[in-house]
Amino acid sequence: MARTIRFPDALRTRIAADAERCGRSFEAHVLALLRRHYGEDVDIAPAPDAILALARGSMAEIPRADRARIEGRLKDDAGA
């Protein structure tokens, strides 16, 4: 489950400096630190709009009739 993490300014500064030393972005460095401690299962979920864009893109080349059936099944499954 994705969570928002807020770092105190002093800690954020230390992590940012360490990230720069390692050639990583702040976010990539935080992930690397968490993965080192907790294992490879740690990840950051994409934002909801990114997930929806991927879903829309995956349906882009599906014929309209097939898309309608898929969308109907998704709506049926959501109510179950």
Side-chain angles (χ1 to χ4, degrees), residues 1-77:
M1 177 179 296
R3 298 275 188 226
T4 299
I5 302 173
R6 291 186 177 83
F7 296 98
D9 289 339
L11 178 58
R12 179 174 271 285
T13 300
R14 289 178 63 193
I15 294 171
D18 196 38
E20 185 175 330
R21 180 185 62 78
C22 294
R24 295 184 182 123
S25 68
F26 181 87
E27 290 80 8
H29 197 60
V30 169
L31 272 177
L33 293 169
L34 290 171
R35 285 178 179 158
R36 180 175 177 145
H37 187 77
Y38 292 105
E40 289 298 317
D41 289 342
V42 174
D43 206 350
I44 295 178
D49 58 334
I51 293 170
L52 291 173
L54 290 170
R56 285 185 194 101
S58 71
M59 304 233 343
E61 294 186 24
I62 296 175
R64 183 177 299 276
D66 293 338
R67 245 188 326 201
R69 282 198 302 271
I70 292 169
E71 290 167 355
R73 288 195 63 173
L74 290 172
K75 290 175 185 170
D76 290 345
D77 290 348

